[in-house]
Amino acid sequence: MQAEPGSHALAIRRQYFLSPYTMAEVSLSSHPAERYGHSSALKRHDEAPSEKSE
């Protein structure tokens, strides 16, 4: 990681599911604190897909 021993880091665990009871993958990542950035974008849908009229 090219970081000083004992320095702070962010550990991220992601879980990917195929269904509510079937996990497909687990990802573990470590990022040095001074080199980590994160952004996300959320999009709201006003209707559930099954409720849309044709």
Side-chain angles (χ1 to χ4, degrees):
M1 291 194 333
Q2 300 177 348
E4 292 292 322
S7 62
H8 293 278
L10 176 66
I12 299 173
R13 176 184 169 149
R14 294 182 179 100
Q15 301 177 72
Y16 301 91
F17 290 86
L18 297 174
S19 70
Y21 303 104
T22 307
M23 185 182 302
E25 182 178 351
V26 174
S27 169
L28 304 173
S29 305
S30 296
H31 303 275
E34 65 277 356
R35 295 194 312 262
Y36 181 80
H38 177 81
S39 66
S40 63
L42 303 174
K43 184 175 181 180
R44 179 179 174 166
H45 295 277
D46 291 332
E47 298 178 359
S50 62
E51 296 175 1
K52 290 184 179 178
S53 59
E54 295 185 26

